């Protein structure tokens, strides 16, 4: 009995794996990275997505997917159910690295231009531009 149960689970896992490969082939590259087949039972294909945005995007293509899957692998497919699985997003997430910020230098002439502009702008902006020009002049003298 134990052997038949194990064999049954093994066959089901292989069938879902094959179904997942067919789904991946039908999807564009980006959604394919964030979606996978979770289950197929009673004519309902359950697809997991890493986020609700990928699920929404997949919803737009639901009818196209149903038609294509019926033709290729699942003639008994009646509908697709989409579920969000945040763990899937964690496994596909890439670490983002940021480049160090390069210090920009501003010339003394730029500070003077800012001071010149202060004559034609409202008082509130004038004070801010003068403060920026002062900072630029100070950073110019320290470097």
């Amino acid at each position: 009995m134990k052997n038949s149960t194990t064999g049954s689970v093994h066959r089901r896992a292989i069938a879902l794996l094959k179904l997942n490969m067919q789904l991946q082939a039908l999807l564009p590259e980006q959604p394919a990275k964030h979606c996978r087949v979770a289950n197929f039972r009673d004519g309902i294909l359950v697809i997991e997505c890493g986020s609700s945005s990928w699920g929404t995007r997949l919803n737009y293509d639901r009818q196209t997917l149903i038609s294509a899957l019926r033709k290729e692998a699942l003639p008994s497919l009646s509908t697709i159910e989409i579920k969000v699985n945040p763990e899937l997003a964690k496994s596909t997430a890439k670490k983002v690295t940021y480049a160090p910020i390069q210090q920009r230098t501003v010339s003394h002439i730029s500070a003077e231009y800012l001071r010149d502009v202060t004559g034609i702008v409202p008082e509130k902006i004038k004070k801010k531009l003068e403060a920026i020009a002062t900072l630029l002049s100070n950073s110019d003298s320290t470097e």
Side-chain angles (χ1 to χ4, degrees):
M1 176 95 167
K2 193 172 184 181
N3 264 346
S4 66
T5 304
T6 305
S8 170
V9 170
H10 183 69
R11 283 190 301 278
R12 179 145 175 83
I14 290 173
L16 289 176
L17 182 63
K18 287 180 181 178
L19 191 53
N20 188 55
M21 290 183 341
Q22 289 173 330
L23 174 71
Q24 299 294 318
L26 290 171
L27 293 173
E29 182 181 347
Q30 285 303 313
K33 290 179 182 178
H34 300 277
C35 301
R36 70 177 176 201
V37 170
N39 200 2
F40 178 69
R41 183 181 301 142
D42 300 327
I44 301 171
L45 178 65
V46 179
I47 300 175
E48 290 180 329
C49 293
S51 69
S52 59
S53 60
W54 286 114
T56 301
R57 187 167 174 189
L58 202 59
N59 259 327
Y60 288 123
D61 295 329
R62 182 189 302 253
Q63 290 306 317
T64 307
L65 285 172
I66 290 174
S67 296
L69 287 169
R70 279 182 184 155
K71 286 178 189 174
E72 291 186 23
L74 295 172
S76 62
L77 178 64
S78 60
T79 189
I80 293 176
E81 189 176 305
I82 298 167
K83 300 212 177 217
V84 176
N85 180 353
E87 291 298 317
L88 185 59
K90 289 179 186 176
S91 67
T92 59
K94 293 181 181 177
K95 273 194 170 179
V96 177
T97 56
Y98 297 99
I101 298 172
Q102 294 179 351
Q103 186 68 28
R104 295 183 182 177
T105 58
V106 179
S107 69
H108 179 69
I109 295 170
S110 297
E112 289 303 315
Y113 285 146
L114 282 175
R115 282 198 178 91
D116 290 343
V117 170
T118 60
I120 58 171
V121 295
E123 189 64 32
K124 188 175 181 181
I125 296 173
K126 179 180 180 178
K127 288 179 183 178
K128 291 179 181 180
L129 287 175
E130 285 174 344
I132 292 170
T134 303
L135 284 172
L136 293 175
S137 295
N138 290 343
S139 68
D140 236 7
S141 62
T142 59
E143 291 178 2

